[in-house]
Amino acid sequence: MSPALFATLGVLIIGIIVLFVPPYIGLADNGDFFRVFSSNGMYVDQVQHTATQFGYFVKDYPIYEYFNEQHTAFFSSQSLFIQSALFLNNFFLDGIFDIRFLALLYFIFLLGAVYLLVEGITTKMKGFSGYVVALFAILIFGDTAYIAYFNSFFGEGLMLIAMLYISASLLLIYQNRYNDYWMLALFFVSSLLLITTKQQNAPVAIVIGMLGLLLLFIKKNKAFRIWTASALGAIVLTGVLMYAFIPETFVTINQYQTMTRGVILNTEEPEKDLKDMGINEQFALLKGTTYFQKYKMVETDSPFMEENFYRHFGFVPVLEFYISHPNTLLQMLNLSAEHAFTIRPLEMGNYEKSAGKPFGAKTGFFTLYSTVKHNASPSSFGMIVLFALAVILGYSRGSIQKWRLGDFRGLVRLDLVLILVGTSFAVLLTTIVGDGEADLAKHEFLFNVCFDILILMILASLTEFTWEQIAKRRAKKHV
């Protein structure tokens, strides 16, 4: 049994217990599910659903039989999986969608991603070291905090899968393990899935598109370079389109919270900051409020707000404000760092109401890694920067010589590290600039995935080094 297969079987066993053995584990709705299930032909009993929000995971959703009167603007690659799950569901159930069919599709793809990722890391590792890496992979990506997302309508489950496939494809290209054209196709499709899962992932397209340029040089074949350039161009274009076509409703929500839960959240002079941005100082009264707050000072989607508030700022003016107010930016980045290592949202429960657990109860099954990570990770932005620099320097060793020799394939692993680091910082920055500190744990989910892939790679390098030292000592004893 190869280390990759061993890791896959480990995650398989854990995932079956979490997703498909009672009591089923999932994530409660925080209010985000409506636009997803309604645009995919499902509805809920609003009274019952509201009573379970945040506290209980809901497994069954009625399917519209004749006409869906909801016209929610929602575009996401997530819908491809939901519609496929609905198709499969309809062979077994009539009129009800069991979300476990969606979890099943996600889980199958996760198993493939884990297999290829571990294969890409352990292909040339010797002895028992590959199996140690497989154990680390099970501990990290088999963690219930990750798998629970599959039993929900959150897009984070698909983001996890897509990022794992992106990383696996680059590692396999680095190892020259499989056909480069197939790995390029996997890299391309996975990148598109990731970018189109959520509009907030649009900046990631720039990171992948720019750093992916190295792939142009791993083969001298003209056809390969044409395909690679076309794929990278399509990835960047997709990111631009995702940003350009963000529904106006989402723009308004993000704008409101960018200001009230971001720009003026920690300042002692909110009136002055608002005046600097050309906004009426009286809006300082909204400091700390959210768009969805039950008792509001002002109707957040009113023409008055559009005329006097929203039209006066956007992504670029907010970014300019943070650049010109570095102390405020650092405060927000440190606040972001405090939540950056939390995989699962702490406010959402994991159990169905029928399981008899308290409202908002969370599972403790196979959550060792996510718990330790949440409690022990650095809570300042500066520590994250130092970690990123250390990782980049560590994997840069010998890169200049490889560049001079034209060994571009040998630089692909470093390129992956740069993509993971670049994506992590893009997530932190766009979260703050695009939505303030509202719902940070979920908005920074992709940061967690990138960080954990880097951790697995580092643990693999340390394991391989340790194994080599042990082998050398044994050889000396025999001599």
Side-chain angles (χ1 to χ4, degrees), residues 360-374:
K362 296 167 186 62
T363 182
F365 174 75
F366 209 82
T367 57
L368 175 63
Y369 176 74
S370 58
T371 302
V372 171
K373 178 182 174 183
H374 172 72

Side-chain angles (χ1 to χ4, degrees), residues 144-417:
T144 302
Y146 275 130
I147 294 178
Y149 275 99
F150 295 167
N151 263 336
S152 78
F153 283 116
F154 290 123
E156 278 70 14
L158 181 54
M159 289 162 59
L160 166 65
I161 294 166
M163 198 72 233
L164 289 177
Y165 275 117
I166 289 170
S167 302
S169 62
L170 291 177
L171 285 170
L172 290 166
I173 289 173
Y174 166 74
Q175 299 280 21
N176 201 9
R177 182 70 177 89
Y178 296 118
N179 181 280
D180 286 332
Y181 284 95
W182 283 109
M183 291 302 99
L184 176 63
L186 180 62
F187 172 79
F188 172 65
V189 173
S190 303
S191 297
L192 291 187
L193 285 174
L194 176 65
I195 294 160
T196 55
T197 302
K198 287 187 173 184
Q199 281 86 3
Q200 75 177 63
N201 293 342
V204 177
I206 307 299
V207 176
I208 294 174
M210 295 298 292
L211 293 173
L213 289 172
L214 178 68
L215 297 175
L216 288 168
F217 305 102
I218 65 170
K219 293 174 84 74
K220 295 181 179 179
N221 187 318
K222 186 177 179 181
F224 181 83
R225 291 185 174 182
I226 291 173
W227 280 111
T228 303
S230 301
L232 294 174
I235 289 169
V236 173
L237 179 61
T238 301
V240 172
L241 291 175
M242 284 296 290
Y243 181 79
F245 292 104
I246 295 176
E248 189 63 35
T249 304
F250 296 167
V251 172
T252 302
I253 295 170
N254 292 339
Q255 269 190 287
Y256 184 91
Q257 296 182 159
T258 294
M259 187 60 63
T260 63
R261 303 291 300 181
V263 171
I264 63 173
L265 180 65
N266 295 311
T267 180
E268 295 180 0
E269 298 180 305
E271 294 87 356
K272 180 179 180 302
D273 291 337
L274 287 169
K275 186 177 180 180
D276 289 345
M277 297 188 71
I279 303 171
N280 192 315
E281 300 98 304
Q282 293 182 24
F283 284 106
L285 292 170
L286 300 177
K287 175 181 176 179
T289 62
T290 66
Y291 186 90
F292 298 105
Q293 202 159 298
K294 187 174 182 180
Y295 301 105
K296 303 175 182 178
M297 299 182 196
V298 63
E299 195 59 45
T300 51
D301 60 350
S302 64
F304 170 80
M305 288 291 287
E306 175 62 35
E307 178 68 24
N308 297 283
F309 190 63
Y310 300 127
R311 67 178 296 181
H312 292 279
F313 67 97
F315 186 89
V316 174
V318 171
L319 182 60
E320 290 175 348
F321 172 84
Y322 279 125
I323 292 172
S324 61
H325 296 75
N327 289 334
T328 302
L329 176 60
L330 185 59
Q331 280 184 322
M332 291 302 297
L333 288 172
N334 282 328
L335 182 62
S336 181
E338 290 178 17
H339 297 81
F341 298 95
T342 303
I343 299 175
R344 60 177 173 179
L346 299 178
E347 65 273 17
M348 265 84 93
N350 292 136
Y351 294 97
E352 289 184 279
K353 190 174 183 179
S354 59
K357 301 286 185 179
F359 186 89
K362 296 167 186 62
T363 182
F365 174 75
F366 209 82
T367 57
L368 175 63
Y369 176 74
S370 58
T371 302
V372 171
K373 178 182 174 183
H374 172 72
N375 293 326
S377 296
S379 58
S380 72
F381 182 70
M383 291 298 292
I384 294 176
V385 172
L386 289 175
F387 171 80
L389 290 174
V391 173
I392 292 171
L393 289 172
Y395 282 98
S396 296
R397 193 176 63 174
S399 58
I400 295 176
Q401 184 179 3
K402 289 176 182 177
W403 180 271
R404 288 174 177 172
L405 293 173
D407 180 16
F408 298 109
R409 187 182 296 274
L411 294 170
V412 171
R413 186 173 63 169
L414 172 61
D415 197 43
L416 170 60
V417 169

